[in-house]
Amino acid sequence: MSTPTIRLAVVDDHILFRKGLRALISGFPDMEVLFEAGDGQELLEHLDQGIRPDVVLMDLQMPTLDGLQTVRLMRAQYPQVRVVIISMHDEPELIDSLHAEGAHGYLLKNANPEEVRGAILAAAEQAAPTRPKLAVL
């Protein structure tokens, strides 16, 4: 019996980082990137069009609609979509606030490939909780 494919979206305002993350994910078995977006607004437009990933890997700091604002909106509008925030910041207060807002995971941008894969798998395995368990890697 095969494992279902985890469908992802990659959201970051830096094109090179986005493309690199997409290339990394393409090497993981049973994972595919449905689309990329440059900010939270673009992500929400894709979701509004019915393109629904299982997991979103999203930068925290972006123009137009940042990661925290987007997590808040997604929790209300698309609670079934899990979100893993990717950032260079590792302040415990920030991670706690993201957890409280509904993020399903948190990765530092210097994470290794296995940590990225593990965060995706952990988020995908979670039901859509009201207060998710935040996996920090």
Side-chain angles (χ1 to χ4, degrees):
M1 186 168 126
S2 76
T3 307
T5 299
I6 299 171
R7 299 167 308 142
L8 295 117
V10 177
V11 185
D12 195 294
D13 57 320
H14 295 97
I15 295 170
L16 188 59
F17 184 80
R18 229 176 30 230
K19 297 293 182 193
L21 198 51
R22 182 180 199 135
L24 175 68
I25 293 166
S26 72
F28 297 153
D30 301 318
M31 292 185 193
E32 71 171 316
V33 176
L34 297 178
F35 64 88
E36 299 172 25
D39 61 43
Q41 183 63 45
E42 190 178 341
L43 167 66
L44 292 173
E45 289 169 8
H46 283 284
L47 297 175
D48 290 345
Q49 293 170 6
I51 306 168
R52 305 275 165 74
D54 302 307
V55 177
V56 173
L57 296 178
M58 182 167 46
D59 189 15
L60 182 60
Q61 292 181 306
M62 298 179 291
T64 312
L65 197 57
D66 70 22
L68 181 58
Q69 295 166 321
T70 306
V71 166
R72 288 177 182 146
L73 291 170
M74 288 182 63
R75 188 171 84 182
Q77 297 174 15
Y78 304 101
Q80 73 280 14
V81 178
R82 287 96 170 160
V83 178
V84 175
I85 295 292
I86 302 176
S87 178
M88 61 184 176
H89 302 286
D90 64 353
E91 296 84 23
E93 302 81 23
L94 173 63
I95 295 168
D96 289 345
S97 70
L98 288 163
H99 178 212
E101 293 297 339
H104 295 80
Y106 191 88
L107 278 168
L108 293 174
K109 284 195 172 182
N110 65 355
N112 69 50
E114 279 309 306
E115 289 171 326
V116 173
R117 184 175 175 278
I120 293 167
L121 291 171
E125 290 172 1
Q126 292 182 40
T130 54
R131 185 163 170 91
K133 178 183 175 195
L134 190 64
V136 179
L137 300 172

